[in-house]
Amino acid sequence: MDKIKEKFRILFISINNVWRYGNIGMDQLLGYLRNKGFNIDIQYYSNKTKLEEIMDSISMEYDLYAFSVNSSNYNKCCNIAKEIKNKKDDAIIDFGGGYPTRYYREIVSENKFIDYIVLGDGEKPTEYLLESLIKNKFFQCNLEIKHDSIVTPFDLDNKKDYFNTNITWTPAYDYYIRDSYNRNSRKVHCIQTKNNVCTGNCSFCNERHGKIVYKNIDDIVEQIEYVSKKFGVKKIFFTDDNILDPNTEIAKRRLFELCEKLKSKNLNLAYQCYMKANSIDDTPLDHRLLNIMREVGFVEVFIGIESGNQSDLDLYNKYTTVRDNYKIIDLLKKYNIFPILGFISFNPYSSKKSIKENFEFLCNVECTYLFNYLYSFVVINKYTDLYNKASKEGLLIDDEKQYLDVKYKYKNKEVEEVLEYVRNKMIPKLNKLDYELDWVTYSMLEHEIWYKDINRYSDKLAELKKRDIEVIKKYLSILFIEFDLEKFKKVEDKFWEYFINEESILKEIYDYYISLHNNEYCTNI
């Protein structure tokens, strides 16, 4: 059977938005299936790469083409798959990932060229699919491919996500093997400490829920040490929805053990993770945990704060309080861990009061990330509690066929003029800014771990942060405290001029840090 497997050629196609990040799901699936003897190649592309360029590099000699699909690369994946089918009508197209898992009915109805969609964790269902296809092609078995977690255009009913109960396998490392040491040193290796489930219940989210299955800590450490020493990777991103799920003492002691073992390796790496706002409290255990996290190299933690007012937190089913939000930010700052805030300033139920409280919260915690002030409109997708609520109350503008990023109106008309101006006029200007103070700041924290004898910019960045906050308060308060749009329009150019001018300073600092990867100014530790 193994020799027959080699004759069935498979191409995995990964479309990423940011080149520094690999594809954790597809790389893990690739490692598992290769270990089972399947003949699989993989190609990595940027979502910005033109379709013609991608198609020129894809061979039509493969039997099956598999795509890792998400909401941002969905259209590109569909266009590539359609072109493959046009060139080779017997090519088999397979979609997988969180996005098609949630919206497989809509995707199948929109695209007649898709043969299979794998739901949930792909290892076992894809193994079954490939073995069935191989038997049908080479042994004329004529097997009916029917699986609870595999969708076809003719088999859509009674489907469910597949959940891995065993996650001991290691990923494939093609993304690093094909690249240079210097470029790999700028990449971020993504890894999870458990299976891909979330214990939250956010009303705007449709992440998968299920029983937590933890990875072996020694296996996690071994993988991190391997990519660090073999490929020169310097940053590790734990992509669990919450590295402390389900916020128990056991979970915290487990992370403490992981940090102890990483610390003993002396790898000089930077780490990032996700947490919930109520994951950390002001307790002796949590203080010890934060201390060792910073010692081992955790420089930033993404927190799903979402709001600075209680009414929005309740709307989002966060089961947290504004006090929780302040507390975790203060605790992280105490240990010099940079808090990256997941924040939603606006939603269909926004009022002047809620917007004002959100703005004041961001100012109080000295947030200088403009996207949290301006780009933070809640995204409403089908099959979420917030979608159902807004639909029931007649606040959705799009028809029922629209299932992603559904347009909505505002229940409180008093905020509509300001929010529509922010969405339609200010966000396009915001998107033109190439450099941002927050990510330059935590880039500084990372590089100070990796390199010695380098320029120090902490005072300069702290000075910029202080000035940024003053500018944000001065100008954006006109919008979000006074709600005086005409007054803001008269001074808006000065607001944007400040941040445009700041870009040259941030670029100079960031370019310096990037140059370190070429060993121009320092010696690697």
Side-chain angles (χ1 to χ4, degrees):
M1 183 65 174
D2 287 343
K3 290 185 177 180
I4 298 298
K5 284 181 178 179
E6 292 179 5
K7 295 181 180 180
F8 191 85
R9 298 191 63 194
I10 304 155
L11 179 65
F12 278 13
I13 297 175
S14 173
I15 309 292
N16 286 1
N17 289 328
V18 182
W19 72 269
R20 294 181 63 213
Y21 296 83
N23 188 325
I24 179 175
M26 184 162 266
D27 290 341
Q28 180 170 293
L29 178 61
L30 179 59
Y32 173 83
L33 293 173
R34 279 181 177 167
N35 190 51
K36 296 292 183 178
F38 294 102
N39 181 11
I40 308 176
D41 294 326
I42 187 168
Q43 293 282 11
Y44 298 93
Y45 299 101
S46 166
N47 206 0
K48 297 178 181 179
T49 305
K50 293 181 179 179
L51 177 63
E52 296 78 10
E53 184 179 341
I54 293 175
M55 291 308 303
D56 286 343
S57 68
I58 294 179
S59 168
M60 293 297 111
E61 296 180 0
Y62 294 96
D63 297 283
L64 182 143
Y65 298 81
F67 295 80
S68 175
V69 184
N70 55 55
S71 59
S72 62
N73 72 11
Y74 170 62
N75 289 331
K76 180 63 69 69
C77 290
C78 287
N79 291 335
I80 296 170
K82 191 183 301 181
E83 286 296 312
I84 290 173
K85 277 286 194 180
N86 288 338
K87 290 186 175 184
K88 184 179 181 179
D89 58 7
D90 64 343
I92 301 168
I93 302 297
D94 173 34
F95 274 19
Y99 181 70
T101 293
R102 299 179 193 101
Y103 301 110
Y104 64 88
R105 290 183 180 276
E106 289 81 1
I107 291 173
V108 167
S109 69
E110 291 173 352
N111 306 288
K112 305 304 180 185
F113 51 82
I114 298 174
D115 298 293
Y116 302 99
I117 296 178
V118 175
L119 308 182
D121 298 325
E123 284 77 10
K124 294 294 184 179
T126 306
E127 181 182 8
Y128 162 81
L129 173 63
L130 297 181
E131 287 182 343
S132 300
L133 291 171
I134 289 170
K135 289 176 182 178
N136 285 347
K137 178 172 182 176
F138 296 104
F139 298 102
Q140 289 77 47
C141 292
N142 199 28
L143 296 173
E144 180 184 11
I145 297 176
K146 196 170 184 64
H147 191 285
D148 288 346
S149 300
I150 297 178
V151 169
T152 75
F154 314 103
D155 183 19
L156 293 163
D157 297 327
N158 301 315
K159 298 300 177 181
K160 59 183 180 181
D161 297 11
Y162 188 87
F163 287 86
N164 285 333
T165 57
N166 182 348
I167 46 177
T168 58
W169 43 81
T170 57
Y173 296 109
D174 297 50
Y175 198 57
Y176 305 119
I177 292 171
R178 299 180 187 181
D179 220 333
S180 68
Y181 188 92
N182 284 341
R183 274 177 57 89
N184 284 336
S185 73
R186 293 185 58 201
K187 290 181 179 178
V188 180
H189 183 69
C190 297
I191 187 172
Q192 292 185 322
T193 65
K194 58 178 178 59
N195 57 335
N196 189 24
V197 298
C198 178
T199 61
N201 192 34
C202 299
S203 64
F204 53 81
C205 184
N206 48 20
E207 287 292 328
R208 299 193 310 149
H209 299 88
K211 181 181 179 181
I212 292 176
V213 179
Y214 289 113
K215 284 185 178 178
N216 180 277
I217 288 179
D218 290 333
D219 290 343
I220 296 171
V221 173
E222 181 182 354
Q223 185 180 141
I224 290 171
E225 185 175 23
Y226 179 76
V227 297
S228 168
K229 293 183 176 180
K230 178 72 174 179
F231 305 114
V233 174
K234 297 180 181 297
K235 182 175 179 180
I236 307 298
F237 188 0
F238 294 102
T239 58
D240 309 274
D241 289 282
N242 174 14
I243 198 171
L244 289 174
D245 259 348
N247 287 345
T248 60
E249 181 175 333
I250 292 175
K252 293 176 181 180
R253 293 193 181 279
R254 175 181 158 82
L255 179 56
F256 194 95
E257 180 185 352
L258 173 61
C259 289
E260 283 186 316
K261 291 187 174 183
L262 289 172
K263 185 179 178 181
S264 70
K265 297 293 183 178
N266 295 314
L267 297 174
N268 293 317
L269 301 177
Y271 299 90
Q272 180 181 349
C273 67
Y274 293 110
M275 282 186 185
K276 291 185 171 70
N278 57 358
S279 295
I280 292 291
D281 208 340
D282 190 11
T283 67
L285 173 61
D286 290 1
H287 280 280
R288 291 198 302 272
L289 178 59
L290 289 173
N291 184 61
I292 195 170
M293 286 177 68
R294 188 60 183 93
E295 286 181 354
V296 80
F298 278 86
V299 294
E300 66 248 31
V301 171
F302 184 101
I303 324 163
I305 294 293
E306 313 309 358
S307 178
N309 72 82
Q310 196 58 48
S311 62
D312 282 354
L313 291 175
D314 294 341
L315 173 68
Y316 302 145
N317 290 340
K318 292 302 295 183
Y319 304 121
T320 55
T321 65
V322 176
R323 180 178 175 275
D324 291 330
N325 293 347
Y326 276 116
K327 180 166 56 179
I328 193 170
I329 292 171
D330 289 342
L331 286 169
L332 290 173
K333 287 181 176 180
K334 180 177 180 178
Y335 289 91
N336 198 27
I337 299 174
F338 195 99
I340 303 174
L341 307 185
F343 204 83
I344 304 171
S345 288
F346 317 117
N347 62 65
Y349 302 92
S350 290
S351 64
K352 285 185 176 181
K353 181 176 183 293
S354 69
I355 292 172
K356 176 177 179 291
E357 289 174 348
N358 281 340
F359 177 74
E360 290 175 339
F361 176 88
L362 291 173
C363 291
N364 289 342
V365 298
E366 298 181 327
C367 174
T368 52
Y369 187 49
L370 284 182
F371 278 72
N372 281 341
Y373 291 92
L374 301 174
Y375 206 108
S376 51
F377 289 80
V378 71
V379 175
I380 297 183
N381 297 328
K382 199 172 182 179
Y383 309 130
T384 62
D385 290 344
L386 189 55
Y387 175 95
N388 295 335
K389 176 179 173 62
S391 176
K392 183 178 179 180
E393 298 181 17
L395 295 177
L396 300 183
I397 298 174
D398 287 327
D399 60 32
E400 293 184 359
K401 292 182 180 180
Q402 182 66 29
Y403 55 92
L404 191 70
D405 198 5
V406 180
K407 293 183 176 61
Y408 51 83
K409 54 189 175 182
Y410 303 101
K411 185 173 183 178
N412 298 300
K413 297 302 180 182
E414 61 183 4
V415 304
E416 184 172 2
E417 184 181 26
V418 167
L419 296 190
E420 286 303 300
Y421 187 83
V422 171
R423 184 190 289 273
N424 297 319
K425 300 297 183 180
M426 297 186 72
I427 288 179
K429 295 177 182 178
L430 177 63
N431 285 332
K432 292 181 180 179
L433 297 177
D434 293 323
Y435 294 86
E436 199 280 318
L437 176 61
D438 279 19
W439 57 260
V440 173
T441 300
Y442 52 77
S443 181
M444 172 194 71
L445 296 173
E446 293 165 357
H447 283 80
E448 288 178 351
I449 291 175
W450 302 331
Y451 299 100
K452 61 182 179 181
D453 301 328
I454 63 174
N455 295 345
R456 301 292 171 173
Y457 290 103
S458 56
D459 290 344
K460 180 64 176 177
L461 293 175
E463 177 189 343
L464 289 176
K465 186 175 185 68
K466 183 178 179 180
R467 284 164 40 189
D468 282 12
I469 284 291
E470 291 174 353
V471 171
I472 288 169
K473 288 180 178 179
K474 177 180 179 179
Y475 291 101
L476 293 188
S477 63
I478 301 172
L479 280 178
F480 303 134
I481 300 293
E482 301 175 33
F483 290 91
D484 191 335
L485 181 56
E486 294 307 315
K487 179 180 177 181
F488 176 76
K489 288 180 180 179
K490 294 177 181 178
V491 296
E492 182 180 4
D493 287 346
K494 293 182 179 179
F495 172 78
W496 291 115
E497 181 182 2
Y498 170 82
F499 287 102
I500 291 171
N501 290 338
E502 186 181 71
E503 289 233 289
S504 60
I505 303 172
L506 296 176
K507 181 181 186 303
E508 179 181 352
I509 296 173
Y510 189 69
D511 285 350
Y512 168 74
Y513 287 129
I514 298 307
S515 72
L516 299 178
H517 294 263
N518 297 320
N519 296 320
E520 293 178 3
Y521 295 97
C522 69
T523 303
N524 195 6
I525 293 177

